[in-house]
Each structure stands twice: as C-alpha cells, then as structure tokens.
Amino acid sequence: QKEVEQDPGPLSVPEGAIVSLNCTYSNSAFQYFMWYRQYSRKGPELLMYTYSSGNKEDGRFTAQVDKSSKYISLFIRDSQPSDSATYLCAMTDNYGQNFVFGPGTRLSVLP
Amino acid sequence: NAGVTQTPKFRILKIGQSMTLQCTQDMNHNYMYWYRQDPGMGLKLIYYSVGAGITDKGEVPNGYNVSRSTTEDFPLRLELAAPSQTSVYFCASSSQDRGNTIYFGEGSWLTVV
C-alpha cells in the first residue's frame, strides 16, 4: 500500500463547478496536511495548510481533514479557468522533517 | 519575497558532463530538500539536510551529491550525467518553527542528451 494515494485524474469541469480533490493516507502519525497548486512549468505553491482534523476555508477553497478515516479533501467553489493546474496533497508528522506527497491530480476548468 | 531560489532554470547537458544546481533560501529554514519530478511520477526525494553540515540520502540519491556548508545554501551536484537524469528538479525548505510546511523553488529543467 502506498503511503499516500490521490485521485489520479485528469479532471475536467466547466467553469463555475464545485471541484473535489481527495487523498487517502496510511500513516496515523501525520498531523500536518497541505495542498499545493502547481501550474505548468512552475514549482508547487502552498495553497492550504491544516493541522490535525477539521475544516479550513480560504476564499473559494476549503480543506477538510478526517484523521479517523485518514482522508483529506480540497474543495474549490465557483471554479475558474485560472484554477487549471495540478494539485498535490502533502503531509508530515510532528517532527516536520519528512514530507510525503501524493502524485497529483491535473485539473482543467473549461470556460 | 525571494523564498527559495534555484539556478539555472534550464540546462542541456551532454552524457558524462557534470554540473551543479544551485539553491538558496532566505527564510532561515533549517531543513532543505532536493526533489525530482518526472511526468506522472510525483515528487521523489533525492537528498535532504536538517542543518548546516548534515545531509542524508532520500529515495533516489544515485548519481547525485549534495553539501550544506551554510543554512542558506544547498547545491545539488550531478556527476557523469545520464539520460535517466533528464527531469525537473525542485529545491525546497521547511522549518518546524514555521508550522511544518514546505516551500519550493521554481524548478530547474535539465535535459541530458
């Protein structure tokens, strides 16, 4: 079993749709959860950061963590063509030394 | 807001040549990392460092070397370049004091021909 699995995509949605991106993980020691957005020919950019279980909202983006199910999600409301990118989930434990990344989901938002 | 800076952005190498990818960060992070990212394969850790003078191998260290003489700099050396090292390389840094998040540079695209 891989340490982190992510919905592979690619995912194409019309502009204005609600997008759900998901990752599952196996290591119960993970406490810090991140979502990165990566545009073509660019480095991953930190989008959302959550500690432990719960929800966090930032504008059109909502990150959810369910540690009991070892499942994290990123929701994008009112998706825009500018949201077209690859989204990576990432996580680490309390030591914050080793990070584990999902393989990424490529999202295309069509105008 | 420099963050993590990598150079060069693009490079073409011939088989057997050597080169160094430079990385510097201005966030005073103690941890630094080098990843490579191949299409559809996700990020693979090459080497990492927990502080100046301390480095350790990651998942795919063969063909690479690193050093960490200062907190800010973490260069990656490619010795005897091979076509299998054609990839995009990302330097990153993190700190426990900064909420356990990792920040990436813009990437270095390397082609070995």
Side-chain angles (χ1 to χ4, degrees), chain A residues 42-44, chain B residues 3-6 23 89-93 103-108:
Chain A
K42 294 289 187 180
Chain B
V4 179
T5 303
Q6 293 180 232
C23 176
Y89 293 84
F90 291 103
C91 181
S93 70
Y103 296 89
F104 288 87
E106 287 291 283
S108 296

Side-chain angles (χ1 to χ4, degrees), chain A residues 63-80:
Chain A
Q64 283 187 354
V65 175
D66 181 350
K67 289 189 65 185
S68 62
S69 302
K70 297 189 179 67
Y71 189 86
I72 70 171
S73 299
L74 177 70
F75 297 96
I76 307 174
R77 291 182 300 280
D78 188 25
S79 55
Q80 302 295 309

Side-chain angles (χ1 to χ4, degrees), chain B:
Chain B
N1 283 355
V4 179
T5 303
Q6 293 180 232
T7 57
K9 182 119 177 137
F10 300 99
R11 182 74 186 267
I12 297 174
L13 273 184
K14 293 184 178 177
I15 294 171
Q17 286 185 323
S18 299
M19 74 162 296
T20 299
L21 299 177
Q22 301 291 344
C23 176
T24 187
Q25 53 94 6
D26 63 358
M27 297 176 281
N28 201 32
H29 286 173
N30 45 343
Y31 300 155
M32 294 189 75
Y33 312 82
W34 275 105
Y35 293 90
R36 59 177 287 172
Q37 187 180 43
D38 300 305
M41 299 298 290
L43 290 161
K44 292 189 183 296
L45 182 64
I46 304 171
Y47 270 95
Y48 67 99
S49 168
V50 299
I54 306 169
T55 63
D56 210 344
K57 295 177 180 179
E59 185 181 356
V60 290
N62 291 345
Y64 307 95
N65 274 303
V66 293
S67 59
R68 183 101 181 265
S69 57
T70 66
T71 300
E72 294 79 19
D73 300 306
F74 190 41
L76 177 71
R77 177 86 176 159
L78 280 73
E79 304 282 2
L80 298 175
S84 61
Q85 293 177 304
T86 294
S87 188
V88 56
Y89 293 84
F90 291 103
C91 181
S93 70
S94 74
S95 171
Q96 284 182 304
D97 297 335
R98 303 293 188 271
N100 286 8
T101 55
I102 186 169
Y103 296 89
F104 288 87
E106 287 291 283
S108 296
W109 274 257
L110 176 67
T111 302
V112 182
V113 297

